[in-house]
Amino acid sequence: MMELSGPTMGPAAGGPAREIVLFLHGLGADGNDLIGLAPYFAQYLPHAAFAAPDAPFPCDMAPYGYQWFSLQDRTPAVMLAGIQASAPLLDAYVDGLLEEHGLTEARLAFVGFSQGTMMSLHVAPRRPREVAGIVGFSGALLAGDRLAAEARSRPPVLLIHGDADPVVPFEALRVAQSGLVAAGMPVRVERRPGLGHSIDEPGIGQAIAFLQERFAA
């Protein structure tokens, strides 16, 4: 089985990590795209280690970057099959991170953007032990109707989405919220007025506050 790899950053405070923030990038990007957020998060989470693996497959819609699954065919069943192909690779990467730092799932949070949010919302609840939380920027929940039956843990979720997103429609926020709530997961949603398909400073602030709260729990 292939192994994921990508940029990492150790705790700003030095010493061993007390928690891990796992960034999952969007289609056509790579781990470097989100590890750039780590210094901002580290100001408020000084004991956190950060990791941003590259997705496993070269992007098939751009001459550069990576993808967690193809979006050439957006039929839900095809996209789900793509997620299911990447999921074991991501699970193995998470297992390795936890082992490397000697931490449990309760000390790890997922932070996804776009396709990385889709991966986070699929993989984290299907892990047997609950992670600290999931932050999903500008994403969607695929196969939400299957989540209640397949979820093995129910971590709290914060979804943040721009209401002017031309790539993943804002409506995806409500659909994801409904599916997660139906599966018994605590969900908060944040609407970012006028924001397109991106992450803005208020959204970063909301994500940091959520992670501080979850790691303190």
Side-chain angles (χ1 to χ4, degrees):
M1 187 165 80
M2 64 190 297
E3 289 186 9
L4 300 184
S5 63
T8 59
M9 184 180 119
R18 296 182 194 171
E19 50 258 341
I20 303 167
V21 176
L22 176 66
F23 290 117
L24 300 182
H25 67 76
L27 181 83
D30 59 24
N32 287 314
D33 192 48
L34 290 185
I35 201 72
L37 293 176
Y40 297 97
F41 282 70
Q43 291 175 34
Y44 302 93
L45 298 165
H47 298 286
F50 299 87
D54 297 334
F57 307 112
C59 182
D60 61 11
M61 296 172 76
Y64 50 81
Y66 298 92
Q67 63 189 24
W68 297 99
F69 54 94
S70 177
L71 287 176
Q72 297 274 23
D73 182 342
R74 303 198 180 201
T75 312
V78 172
M79 291 195 294
L80 178 61
I83 281 189
Q84 289 169 333
S86 282
L89 302 174
L90 183 54
D91 268 323
Y93 182 81
V94 171
D95 292 344
L97 273 182
L98 295 173
E99 188 177 337
E100 176 189 346
H101 292 288
L103 296 171
T104 65
E105 276 88 344
R107 308 307 300 161
L108 180 138
F110 284 71
V111 177
F113 174 72
S114 196
Q115 198 177 65
T117 294
M118 299 178 196
M119 287 300 298
S120 300
L121 294 177
H122 180 88
V123 167
R126 287 170 174 81
R127 291 182 65 85
R129 288 178 293 278
E130 191 173 295
V131 299
I134 305 167
V135 177
F137 289 99
S138 312
L141 175 65
L142 288 185
D145 54 332
R146 302 170 60 135
L147 186 58
E150 296 178 3
R152 299 165 73 193
S153 58
R154 287 166 173 78
V157 179
L158 171 64
L159 298 175
I160 304 169
H161 211 125
D163 63 12
D165 191 329
V167 178
V168 180
F170 179 69
E171 176 58 26
L173 178 74
R174 300 286 166 224
V175 175
Q177 182 182 21
S178 300
L180 294 167
V181 168
M185 293 168 63
V187 185
R188 292 182 215 168
V189 297
E190 293 288 352
R191 175 185 195 140
R192 297 296 314 123
L195 182 67
H197 193 62
S198 63
I199 298 173
D200 64 2
E201 278 193 32
I204 290 172
Q206 289 160 341
I208 289 170
F210 175 77
L211 294 181
Q212 284 179 305
E213 176 189 313
R214 292 306 309 146
F215 286 137

PDB file of all heavy atoms in Angstrom, residues 68-87:
ATOM      1  N   TRP A  68      -7.540  13.739  -3.819  1.00  0.00           N
ATOM      2  CA  TRP A  68      -7.931  12.593  -2.990  1.00  0.00           C
ATOM      3  C   TRP A  68      -8.770  11.622  -3.822  1.00  0.00           C
ATOM      4  O   TRP A  68      -8.740  10.424  -3.614  1.00  0.00           O
ATOM      5  CB  TRP A  68      -8.712  13.069  -1.768  1.00  0.00           C
ATOM      6  CG  TRP A  68      -7.887  13.931  -0.868  1.00  0.00           C
ATOM      7  CD1 TRP A  68      -7.877  15.295  -0.798  1.00  0.00           C
ATOM      8  CD2 TRP A  68      -6.904  13.486   0.079  1.00  0.00           C
ATOM      9  NE1 TRP A  68      -6.953  15.731   0.126  1.00  0.00           N
ATOM     10  CE2 TRP A  68      -6.345  14.639   0.686  1.00  0.00           C
ATOM     11  CE3 TRP A  68      -6.445  12.222   0.474  1.00  0.00           C
ATOM     12  CZ2 TRP A  68      -5.345  14.563   1.664  1.00  0.00           C
ATOM     13  CZ3 TRP A  68      -5.453  12.152   1.451  1.00  0.00           C
ATOM     14  CH2 TRP A  68      -4.912  13.311   2.026  1.00  0.00           C
ATOM     15  N   PHE A  69      -9.516  12.164  -4.771  1.00  0.00           N
ATOM     16  CA  PHE A  69     -10.286  11.346  -5.717  1.00  0.00           C
ATOM     17  C   PHE A  69     -10.618  12.230  -6.915  1.00  0.00           C
ATOM     18  O   PHE A  69     -10.568  13.451  -6.831  1.00  0.00           O
ATOM     19  CB  PHE A  69     -11.551  10.777  -5.068  1.00  0.00           C
ATOM     20  CG  PHE A  69     -12.455  11.798  -4.425  1.00  0.00           C
ATOM     21  CD1 PHE A  69     -13.526  12.357  -5.118  1.00  0.00           C
ATOM     22  CD2 PHE A  69     -12.245  12.211  -3.111  1.00  0.00           C
ATOM     23  CE1 PHE A  69     -14.357  13.303  -4.518  1.00  0.00           C
ATOM     24  CE2 PHE A  69     -13.071  13.162  -2.505  1.00  0.00           C
ATOM     25  CZ  PHE A  69     -14.126  13.701  -3.219  1.00  0.00           C
ATOM     26  N   SER A  70     -10.958  11.581  -8.025  1.00  0.00           N
ATOM     27  CA  SER A  70     -11.263  12.323  -9.247  1.00  0.00           C
ATOM     28  C   SER A  70     -12.638  12.977  -9.167  1.00  0.00           C
ATOM     29  O   SER A  70     -13.576  12.422  -8.588  1.00  0.00           O
ATOM     30  CB  SER A  70     -11.230  11.381 -10.450  1.00  0.00           C
ATOM     31  OG  SER A  70     -11.598  12.083 -11.624  1.00  0.00           O
ATOM     32  N   LEU A  71     -12.742  14.158  -9.764  1.00  0.00           N
ATOM     33  CA  LEU A  71     -14.032  14.829  -9.890  1.00  0.00           C
ATOM     34  C   LEU A  71     -14.455  14.928 -11.354  1.00  0.00           C
ATOM     35  O   LEU A  71     -15.355  15.689 -11.699  1.00  0.00           O
ATOM     36  CB  LEU A  71     -13.982  16.230  -9.265  1.00  0.00           C
ATOM     37  CG  LEU A  71     -13.954  16.264  -7.734  1.00  0.00           C
ATOM     38  CD1 LEU A  71     -13.797  17.690  -7.228  1.00  0.00           C
ATOM     39  CD2 LEU A  71     -15.217  15.635  -7.148  1.00  0.00           C
ATOM     40  N   GLN A  72     -13.818  14.137 -12.219  1.00  0.00           N
ATOM     41  CA  GLN A  72     -14.219  14.123 -13.640  1.00  0.00           C
ATOM     42  C   GLN A  72     -15.658  13.637 -13.773  1.00  0.00           C
ATOM     43  O   GLN A  72     -16.425  14.151 -14.579  1.00  0.00           O
ATOM     44  CB  GLN A  72     -13.289  13.195 -14.433  1.00  0.00           C
ATOM     45  CG  GLN A  72     -11.828  13.625 -14.456  1.00  0.00           C
ATOM     46  CD  GLN A  72     -11.497  14.624 -15.554  1.00  0.00           C
ATOM     47  OE1 GLN A  72     -12.376  15.331 -16.042  1.00  0.00           O
ATOM     48  NE2 GLN A  72     -10.240  14.696 -15.929  1.00  0.00           N
ATOM     49  N   ASP A  73     -16.001  12.632 -12.978  1.00  0.00           N
ATOM     50  CA  ASP A  73     -17.370  12.094 -12.957  1.00  0.00           C
ATOM     51  C   ASP A  73     -17.938  12.363 -11.572  1.00  0.00           C
ATOM     52  O   ASP A  73     -17.460  11.820 -10.578  1.00  0.00           O
ATOM     53  CB  ASP A  73     -17.341  10.582 -13.238  1.00  0.00           C
ATOM     54  CG  ASP A  73     -18.739   9.963 -13.283  1.00  0.00           C
ATOM     55  OD1 ASP A  73     -19.696  10.583 -12.770  1.00  0.00           O
ATOM     56  OD2 ASP A  73     -18.869   8.850 -13.822  1.00  0.00           O
ATOM     57  N   ARG A  74     -18.948  13.249 -11.513  1.00  0.00           N
ATOM     58  CA  ARG A  74     -19.468  13.662 -10.199  1.00  0.00           C
ATOM     59  C   ARG A  74     -20.693  12.868  -9.762  1.00  0.00           C
ATOM     60  O   ARG A  74     -21.435  13.292  -8.884  1.00  0.00           O
ATOM     61  CB  ARG A  74     -19.752  15.166 -10.203  1.00  0.00           C
ATOM     62  CG  ARG A  74     -18.490  15.934 -10.573  1.00  0.00           C
ATOM     63  CD  ARG A  74     -18.519  17.389 -10.204  1.00  0.00           C
ATOM     64  NE  ARG A  74     -17.267  18.021 -10.606  1.00  0.00           N
ATOM     65  CZ  ARG A  74     -16.784  19.147 -10.100  1.00  0.00           C
ATOM     66  NH1 ARG A  74     -17.458  19.783  -9.168  1.00  0.00           N
ATOM     67  NH2 ARG A  74     -15.648  19.646 -10.517  1.00  0.00           N
ATOM     68  N   THR A  75     -20.903  11.714 -10.370  1.00  0.00           N
ATOM     69  CA  THR A  75     -21.941  10.816  -9.894  1.00  0.00           C
ATOM     70  C   THR A  75     -21.610  10.435  -8.446  1.00  0.00           C
ATOM     71  O   THR A  75     -20.466  10.059  -8.164  1.00  0.00           O
ATOM     72  CB  THR A  75     -21.971   9.526 -10.748  1.00  0.00           C
ATOM     73  OG1 THR A  75     -21.947   9.889 -12.124  1.00  0.00           O
ATOM     74  CG2 THR A  75     -23.203   8.691 -10.439  1.00  0.00           C
ATOM     75  N   PRO A  76     -22.581  10.547  -7.528  1.00  0.00           N
ATOM     76  CA  PRO A  76     -22.265  10.265  -6.114  1.00  0.00           C
ATOM     77  C   PRO A  76     -21.583   8.917  -5.885  1.00  0.00           C
ATOM     78  O   PRO A  76     -20.636   8.829  -5.105  1.00  0.00           O
ATOM     79  CB  PRO A  76     -23.641  10.322  -5.436  1.00  0.00           C
ATOM     80  CG  PRO A  76     -24.411  11.302  -6.271  1.00  0.00           C
ATOM     81  CD  PRO A  76     -23.948  11.072  -7.693  1.00  0.00           C
ATOM     82  N   ALA A  77     -22.037   7.866  -6.587  1.00  0.00           N
ATOM     83  CA  ALA A  77     -21.443   6.534  -6.380  1.00  0.00           C
ATOM     84  C   ALA A  77     -19.984   6.502  -6.809  1.00  0.00           C
ATOM     85  O   ALA A  77     -19.146   5.850  -6.170  1.00  0.00           O
ATOM     86  CB  ALA A  77     -22.241   5.475  -7.140  1.00  0.00           C
ATOM     87  N   VAL A  78     -19.659   7.227  -7.883  1.00  0.00           N
ATOM     88  CA  VAL A  78     -18.275   7.248  -8.376  1.00  0.00           C
ATOM     89  C   VAL A  78     -17.376   8.026  -7.408  1.00  0.00           C
ATOM     90  O   VAL A  78     -16.271   7.597  -7.084  1.00  0.00           O
ATOM     91  CB  VAL A  78     -18.216   7.865  -9.796  1.00  0.00           C
ATOM     92  CG1 VAL A  78     -16.776   8.063 -10.244  1.00  0.00           C
ATOM     93  CG2 VAL A  78     -18.964   6.980 -10.785  1.00  0.00           C
ATOM     94  N   MET A  79     -17.888   9.159  -6.924  1.00  0.00           N
ATOM     95  CA  MET A  79     -17.102   9.943  -5.962  1.00  0.00           C
ATOM     96  C   MET A  79     -16.902   9.158  -4.664  1.00  0.00           C
ATOM     97  O   MET A  79     -15.820   9.178  -4.078  1.00  0.00           O
ATOM     98  CB  MET A  79     -17.774  11.289  -5.692  1.00  0.00           C
ATOM     99  CG  MET A  79     -17.738  12.225  -6.885  1.00  0.00           C
ATOM    100  SD  MET A  79     -18.126  13.950  -6.454  1.00  0.00           S
ATOM    101  CE  MET A  79     -19.849  13.806  -5.968  1.00  0.00           C
ATOM    102  N   LEU A  80     -17.936   8.456  -4.221  1.00  0.00           N
ATOM    103  CA  LEU A  80     -17.820   7.658  -2.997  1.00  0.00           C
ATOM    104  C   LEU A  80     -16.757   6.571  -3.166  1.00  0.00           C
ATOM    105  O   LEU A  80     -15.951   6.338  -2.268  1.00  0.00           O
ATOM    106  CB  LEU A  80     -19.174   7.039  -2.632  1.00  0.00           C
ATOM    107  CG  LEU A  80     -19.171   6.147  -1.385  1.00  0.00           C
ATOM    108  CD1 LEU A  80     -18.762   6.940  -0.148  1.00  0.00           C
ATOM    109  CD2 LEU A  80     -20.539   5.498  -1.175  1.00  0.00           C
ATOM    110  N   ALA A  81     -16.746   5.922  -4.336  1.00  0.00           N
ATOM    111  CA  ALA A  81     -15.735   4.892  -4.593  1.00  0.00           C
ATOM    112  C   ALA A  81     -14.334   5.498  -4.531  1.00  0.00           C
ATOM    113  O   ALA A  81     -13.396   4.874  -4.030  1.00  0.00           O
ATOM    114  CB  ALA A  81     -15.981   4.245  -5.955  1.00  0.00           C
ATOM    115  N   GLY A  82     -14.195   6.733  -5.023  1.00  0.00           N
ATOM    116  CA  GLY A  82     -12.908   7.416  -4.966  1.00  0.00           C
ATOM    117  C   GLY A  82     -12.473   7.699  -3.541  1.00  0.00           C
ATOM    118  O   GLY A  82     -11.309   7.496  -3.167  1.00  0.00           O
ATOM    119  N   ILE A  83     -13.413   8.169  -2.728  1.00  0.00           N
ATOM    120  CA  ILE A  83     -13.125   8.424  -1.311  1.00  0.00           C
ATOM    121  C   ILE A  83     -12.720   7.124  -0.613  1.00  0.00           C
ATOM    122  O   ILE A  83     -11.771   7.085   0.162  1.00  0.00           O
ATOM    123  CB  ILE A  83     -14.359   9.042  -0.608  1.00  0.00           C
ATOM    124  CG1 ILE A  83     -14.449  10.527  -0.948  1.00  0.00           C
ATOM    125  CG2 ILE A  83     -14.287   8.853   0.898  1.00  0.00           C
ATOM    126  CD1 ILE A  83     -15.504  11.273  -0.143  1.00  0.00           C
ATOM    127  N   GLN A  84     -13.452   6.053  -0.923  1.00  0.00           N
ATOM    128  CA  GLN A  84     -13.175   4.774  -0.268  1.00  0.00           C
ATOM    129  C   GLN A  84     -11.803   4.223  -0.650  1.00  0.00           C
ATOM    130  O   GLN A  84     -11.190   3.492   0.124  1.00  0.00           O
ATOM    131  CB  GLN A  84     -14.282   3.769  -0.610  1.00  0.00           C
ATOM    132  CG  GLN A  84     -15.608   4.108   0.080  1.00  0.00           C
ATOM    133  CD  GLN A  84     -16.781   3.302  -0.443  1.00  0.00           C
ATOM    134  OE1 GLN A  84     -16.779   2.863  -1.593  1.00  0.00           O
ATOM    135  NE2 GLN A  84     -17.799   3.114   0.386  1.00  0.00           N
ATOM    136  N   ALA A  85     -11.298   4.609  -1.835  1.00  0.00           N
ATOM    137  CA  ALA A  85      -9.963   4.169  -2.247  1.00  0.00           C
ATOM    138  C   ALA A  85      -8.875   4.914  -1.477  1.00  0.00           C
ATOM    139  O   ALA A  85      -7.829   4.345  -1.147  1.00  0.00           O
ATOM    140  CB  ALA A  85      -9.785   4.370  -3.754  1.00  0.00           C
ATOM    141  N   SER A  86      -9.125   6.197  -1.179  1.00  0.00           N
ATOM    142  CA  SER A  86      -8.133   7.001  -0.453  1.00  0.00           C
ATOM    143  C   SER A  86      -8.205   6.808   1.061  1.00  0.00           C
ATOM    144  O   SER A  86      -7.213   7.016   1.758  1.00  0.00           O
ATOM    145  CB  SER A  86      -8.338   8.492  -0.759  1.00  0.00           C
ATOM    146  OG  SER A  86      -7.823   8.826  -2.017  1.00  0.00           O
ATOM    147  N   ALA A  87      -9.366   6.436   1.571  1.00  0.00           N
ATOM    148  CA  ALA A  87      -9.586   6.379   3.017  1.00  0.00           C
ATOM    149  C   ALA A  87      -8.572   5.506   3.761  1.00  0.00           C
ATOM    150  O   ALA A  87      -8.032   5.934   4.789  1.00  0.00           O
ATOM    151  CB  ALA A  87     -11.021   5.923   3.319  1.00  0.00           C
TER     152      ALA A  87
END
